[in-house]
């Protein structure tokens, strides 16, 4: 068995693990990042598209903001549509700051490039059987197999950045964990197409046929979603069926100008709200999807992972400098912001989707709330300040 020592062992080489590794390395802290998938697989996942200002600032401060500044699209508003109205919410007017459209794939690529260019230890891909030992002691260690060889990493801290299905959350004893979950009775079917976006900003549509979202990655790469039954599979939706359904759900002006084309990626994601408390147990901390999942309606998933990294990196830098109390506050600080984003994502999802057990009353409540959002500057401020991201 090979055996090495590091200060912080990070499980998961997605955006949160890479960003944490980048920030800690720049602070002079030694890390190892363990990733079970090949890099190409990690980068092939099409996920988030909207970055809050706080996320953009974090990436810039971490030294990975150059391409984002060049290629990211600053959006100062979004459109919201329902059966009988469509209107724009101006983020600058209602919340004083914009968001940036820049795909999670690009963020992850930039973080991999930064680690490659640094003298930090390369991400270790293809790991299997990652097991976290002694998290409730002062001398934790992690074991794993790679290339047919057993490995052990002794460390001061272990950080679980390994997503919803990872090993780290399950390492915390059930008696210690409190998990809260809401599974939604629908999913999102997402399509990526090399076509010009239907509008220069995003369109969130609540139609009698179900939710639809028109988003983008650049001027010739569009990202669209339609609400679909969780029992559906991507292969149940040939391109023609998808485009026809999207047209029926978008507001008329967008439906008329929609440019369709072959899908280059198509996937169906289930929607859930999930939170694990606490986000720390001894020397093990959870970050991002390892600790919480939100429905993508509010574009919060990736952004919450970044604010977790903000709080945790502050604590780890202090702890590695001899001030351990900074770590004592991590879980409470992170969860305070997580719960507000969980609330917003649940509220926006409930407002914009059709439920199988929908009643006439619920649909009237949706229409009334969307009308209120259209007509009230105060309502638009509440929407916008959550969408652009609450302060860290
Ligand atoms: P990730 O899941 O991205 O990364 C975890 C990494 O850990 C993965 O690379 C995995 O391979 C690795 N791993 C897992 N188990 C391991 C083990 N035992 N050992 C080693 N490595 C292990 N958010 C939005 O804001 N907008 C969206 O539109 C959106 N769409 C999404 C669509 C889908 C299908 C999914 C699943 C999520 C979506 N999200 C979206 C949320 C998503 O962007 C997450 O919030 C984001 O990926 C969180 O990043 P991480 O916490 O790094 O987790
Ligand atoms: C995306 O572009 O993938 C996207 C944008 C906004 C959302 C969800 C997904 O709310």
């Amino acid at each position: 068995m090979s055996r090495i020592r590091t200060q912080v062992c990070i499980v998961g080489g997605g955006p949160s693990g890479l960003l944490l590794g980048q920030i800690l390395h720049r602070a002079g802290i030694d890390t190892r990042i363990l990733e079970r998938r090949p890099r190409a697989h990690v980068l092939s996942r099409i996920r988030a598209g909207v970055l809050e200002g706080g996320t953009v600032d974090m990436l810039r401060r971490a030294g990975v903001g150059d391409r984002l500044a060049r290629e990211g699209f600053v959006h100062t508003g979004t459109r919201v549509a329902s059966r009988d109205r469509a209107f724009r919410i101006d983020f600058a007017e209602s919340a004083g700051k914009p968001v940036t459209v820049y795909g999670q794939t690009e963020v992850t690529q930039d973080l991999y490039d930064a680690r490659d260019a640094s003298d930090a230890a390369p991400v270790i891909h293809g790991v299997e059987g990652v097991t976290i030992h002694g998290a409730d002691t002062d001398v934790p260690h992690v074991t794993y197999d790679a290339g047919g060889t057993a490995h052990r990493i002794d460390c001061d801290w272990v950080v679980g950045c390994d997503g919803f299905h990872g090993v780290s959350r399950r390492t915390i004893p059930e008696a210690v964990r409190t998990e809260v979950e809401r599974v939604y009775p629908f999913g999102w079917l997402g399509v990526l197409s090399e076509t010009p976006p239907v509008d220069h900003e995003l369109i969130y549509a609540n139609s009698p046929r179900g939710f639809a979202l028109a988003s983008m990655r650049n001027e010739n790469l569009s990202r669209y979603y339609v609400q679909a039954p969780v029992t559906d599979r991507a292969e149940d939706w040939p391109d023609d069926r998808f485009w026809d359904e999207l047209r029926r759900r978008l507001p008329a002006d967008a439906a008329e100008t929609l440019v369709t084309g072959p899908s280059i990626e198509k996937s169906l994601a289930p929607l859930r709200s999930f939170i694990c408390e606490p986000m720390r147990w001894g020397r093990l901390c959870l970050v991002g999807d390892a600790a919480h999942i939100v429905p993508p309606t509010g574009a919060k998933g990736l952004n919450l992972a970044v604010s977790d990294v903000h709080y945790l990196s502050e604590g780890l830098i202090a702890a590695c400098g001899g001030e351990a109390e900074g770590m004592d506050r991590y879980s409470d600080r992170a969860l305070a912001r997580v719960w507000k984003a969980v609330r917003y994502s649940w509220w926006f999802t409930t407002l914009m989707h059709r439920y199988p057990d929908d009643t006439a009353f619920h649909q009237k409540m949706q229409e009334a709330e969307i009308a209120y959002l259209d007509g009230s500057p105060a309502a638009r401020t509440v929407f916008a300040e959550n969408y652009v991201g609450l302060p860290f």
Side-chain angles (χ1 to χ4, degrees), residues 124-207:
I124 303 168
H125 289 277
V127 301
E128 295 175 340
V130 170
T131 307
I132 300 165
H133 309 266
D136 55 342
T137 74
D138 288 338
V139 285
H141 69 277
V142 176
T143 56
Y144 65 94
D145 297 318
T149 305
H151 300 264
R152 170 172 169 151
I153 300 180
D154 293 287
C155 51
D156 299 326
W157 297 92
V158 182
V159 182
C161 297
D162 48 349
F164 184 67
H165 300 290
V167 66
S168 59
R169 184 176 69 250
R170 289 183 276 114
T171 300
I172 301 177
E174 285 189 15
V176 174
R177 276 184 280 144
T178 301
E179 296 180 352
V180 178
E181 183 171 49
R182 166 92 161 89
V183 177
Y184 298 89
F186 41 73
W188 278 19
L189 181 78
V191 157
L192 195 65
S193 59
E194 290 172 330
T195 55
V198 72
D199 199 337
H200 69 292
E201 292 178 328
L202 274 62
I203 304 173
Y204 290 85
N206 170 336
S207 89

Side-chain angles (χ1 to χ4, degrees), residues 16 18 36 38 55 77 119 171 192 213 219 222 229 239 243 269 327 351 362:
S16 62
L18 290 163
R36 72 177 170 185
T55 295
D119 60 354
T171 300
L192 195 65
L213 168 62
E219 58 273 2
S222 296
D239 286 2
W243 294 121
M327 288 301 290
L351 180 66
H362 180 234

Side-chain angles (χ1 to χ4, degrees), residues 206-229:
N206 170 336
S207 89
R209 299 177 65 87
F211 172 80
L213 168 62
S215 183
M216 66 209 59
R217 291 293 179 270
N218 61 47
E219 58 273 2
N220 198 43
L221 194 58
S222 296
R223 180 66 169 168
Y224 295 108
Y225 298 94
V226 296
Q227 170 186 345

Side-chain angles (χ1 to χ4, degrees), residues 11-17 34-37 42 45-50 104 127 130 161-167 188 225 269 287-290 296 299-303 305:
V11 183
S16 62
L34 304 177
E35 167 55 49
R36 72 177 170 185
R37 303 285 193 181
V42 176
R45 297 182 190 124
I46 306 300
R47 289 192 177 166
V50 173
Q104 174 173 321
V127 301
V130 170
C161 297
D162 48 349
F164 184 67
H165 300 290
V167 66
W188 278 19
Y225 298 94
V287 168
D289 279 19
K300 291 297 154 216
L302 176 60
N303 292 295

Side-chain angles (χ1 to χ4, degrees), residues 261-280:
S263 60
I264 59 172
E265 192 273 351
K266 189 183 291 174
S267 54
L268 197 140
L271 268 58
R272 76 176 77 236
S273 298
F274 173 88
I275 304 88
C276 171
E277 293 185 328
M279 289 175 57
R280 175 192 171 193

Side-chain angles (χ1 to χ4, degrees), residues 12-190:
S16 62
L18 290 163
L19 179 57
L20 179 63
Q22 175 72 1
I23 293 170
L24 295 181
H25 178 70
R26 286 163 65 95
I29 294 173
D30 189 69
T31 61
R32 291 294 186 278
I33 301 177
L34 304 177
E35 167 55 49
R36 72 177 170 185
R37 303 285 193 181
R39 181 180 301 191
H41 179 92
V42 176
L43 293 171
S44 70
R45 297 182 190 124
I46 306 300
R47 289 192 177 166
V50 173
L51 305 184
E52 298 171 356
T55 295
V56 172
D57 291 344
M58 279 277 286
L59 293 169
R60 188 183 301 122
R61 288 201 301 272
V64 291
D66 291 347
R67 189 162 76 101
L68 165 56
R70 291 196 309 273
E71 298 179 14
F73 291 81
V74 175
H75 281 209
T76 60
T78 186
R79 284 174 69 190
V80 175
S82 66
R83 178 171 53 182
D84 48 13
R85 70 183 65 239
F87 55 96
R88 181 173 183 272
I89 296 178
D90 187 306
F91 301 142
E93 175 189 292
S94 299
K97 53 186 174 181
V99 294
T100 301
V101 170
Y102 188 74
Q104 174 173 321
T105 303
E106 310 316 319
V107 171
T108 309
Q109 180 68 66
D110 293 342
L111 287 164
Y112 267 112
D113 291 346
R115 190 155 182 109
D116 291 347
S118 76
D119 60 354
V123 175
I124 303 168
H125 289 277
V127 301
E128 295 175 340
V130 170
T131 307
I132 300 165
H133 309 266
D136 55 342
T137 74
D138 288 338
V139 285
H141 69 277
V142 176
T143 56
Y144 65 94
D145 297 318
T149 305
H151 300 264
R152 170 172 169 151
I153 300 180
D154 293 287
C155 51
D156 299 326
W157 297 92
V158 182
V159 182
C161 297
D162 48 349
F164 184 67
H165 300 290
V167 66
S168 59
R169 184 176 69 250
R170 289 183 276 114
T171 300
I172 301 177
E174 285 189 15
V176 174
R177 276 184 280 144
T178 301
E179 296 180 352
V180 178
E181 183 171 49
R182 166 92 161 89
V183 177
Y184 298 89
F186 41 73
W188 278 19
L189 181 78

